[in-house]
Amino acid sequence: MADQGERHASWLELFFDLVAVAGVAQLSHLLHSSPGWSGAGLYVLCFLAFWTAWMCFTVYGNVAAGTTQALPVLAAMMGLAVMAAAVPEIHGDRAKVFALAYVAVRVLSDRAWRGRGAVVVDWPVAQMGAGVVPWIASLWAGDPWRYYLWALGLVLDLVVSFTFNRDRMARAIAERQARASERRPELRSVTIARLDEAHFGERLGLFMIIVLGEGVLMVTQAMSELAAWHGAVFGTAIGSLALLAGLWALLLQRGFGGIPMLADTAPPRTMLLLHCLVAGVLAALASGMGELVESVPHGHVEPSARWLVCAAVAAIGVVGAGAAAARYGWLWGLRPLAPAVLIPALAGLLDPGAAGLVWLLVAAVAGQLLATRRKATGQ
């Protein structure tokens, strides 16, 4: 029975997450319309920026709980919506709009924390950060330098987020506060804010549901645009939905926060890093699944689309195997690793057509579910 004091996502948080629907949809279409390494690189930049901005206010809602102020959250939602709307023309002048909206959301995040007297050591980026400076500079830069500046800003944020020791940071803040209080006793004390990990895991899982929903949308939209429906079309579409259902079970039933096989006791920063990786890969997979359905009339799948979906399924499986190894020991990590890597590699090499490809990927996910069944059910 659930603890009576357990928190769940509020109506404001659920409404805010609707902007993730728009963002993931636009990012998936960006990868679909911009094949090649340059398109993949731009997708990574835009996804990291959108995810980071979304995460700043997800952390704010998690820590502030019942004292969350609706106005900054709704303003941030508008900024994220502008970022999503700018994605289709990210190669042109709307790149500046994208950057400006990103900076605005980050500034809003910093201002939302002011006056709370709290420092978030699990996600320090939420309270501004040096990573915003290159984004501001990019407003006066042209192609391709603006994208290099975006990458620099995101790298700075990642360094701050995942390399700073949170306990050491908390001690440094406490020591600095003690020295300041000696000089000026009237100063407000600073508290160390910690994440509510159960509530946070729910929010991260909801984001994964949104990404899986984009996969469903891409499949159904691609199917609706085909002139003729026949056995291969139905086989590919049904297999695609079966693959998404298998990933749902792997990410959410066998994992935590949308990360396969992750324990609910995992450190918050580990959870954040893996969530960013898995969500980005899953959104890329959603884009590729639409291409699989579109390719049925041609009788073959383009190598770029084929390897995209195979690599995405394999990457998610590798993350799950690593989480299983950390949770249960390295022998349990090896069990799901074989189907996670070998079957997608075989599917990519054989080029068995859209239906054959997607059902091989279903087998890869099913193999991972079977390999982890005993531990997941406590047997």
Side-chain angles (χ1 to χ4, degrees), residues 196-321:
D196 181 332
E197 295 182 13
H199 172 263
F200 198 57
E202 181 186 38
R203 295 295 308 283
L204 298 185
L206 288 171
F207 189 94
M208 289 300 190
I209 288 288
I210 289 170
V211 182
L212 287 169
E214 178 60 24
V216 174
L217 180 61
M218 294 290 279
V219 170
T220 54
Q221 182 177 342
M223 188 176 180
S224 70
E225 293 174 355
L226 294 180
W229 290 359
H230 45 77
V233 172
F234 286 109
T236 304
I238 293 171
S240 298
L241 296 177
L243 176 60
L244 291 170
L247 289 169
W248 162 78
L250 188 65
L251 299 175
L252 297 164
Q253 288 198 316
R254 297 286 173 85
F256 180 72
I259 304 156
M261 299 306 297
L262 188 73
D264 57 7
T265 56
R269 292 192 184 185
T270 300
M271 196 187 312
L272 283 163
L273 178 63
L274 293 179
H275 184 271
C276 181
L277 174 62
V278 174
V281 169
L282 191 61
L285 175 63
S287 173
M289 292 181 71
E291 293 189 53
L292 290 185
V293 177
E294 291 174 358
S295 69
V296 172
H298 307 295
H300 72 281
V301 183
E302 290 295 326
S304 59
R306 184 172 76 246
W307 284 109
L308 172 64
V309 295
C310 291
V313 171
I316 292 171
V318 169
V319 171

Side-chain angles (χ1 to χ4, degrees), residues 3 33 44 57 69 104 118 168 219 230 244 247 258 296 333 354 375:
D3 185 356
S33 62
V44 170
F57 276 87
Q69 296 179 354
R168 189 180 306 156
V219 170
H230 45 77
L244 291 170
L247 289 169
V296 172
K375 277 293 183 183

Side-chain angles (χ1 to χ4, degrees), residues 59-109:
V59 169
Y60 169 66
N62 177 271
V63 174
T67 62
T68 301
Q69 296 179 354
L71 187 58
V73 174
L74 296 175
M77 186 179 181
M78 292 177 62
L80 284 163
V82 171
M83 289 175 65
V87 166
E89 301 296 331
I90 200 70
H91 297 283
D93 289 339
R94 289 185 184 171
K96 292 183 179 180
V97 178
F98 183 91
L100 187 60
Y102 174 78
V103 171
V105 173
R106 294 293 302 277
V107 170
L108 280 168
S109 175

Side-chain angles (χ1 to χ4, degrees), residues 112-127:
W113 286 99
R114 290 186 183 181
R116 300 194 66 88
V119 176
V120 190
V121 294
D122 290 316
W123 183 248
V125 169
Q127 293 167 294

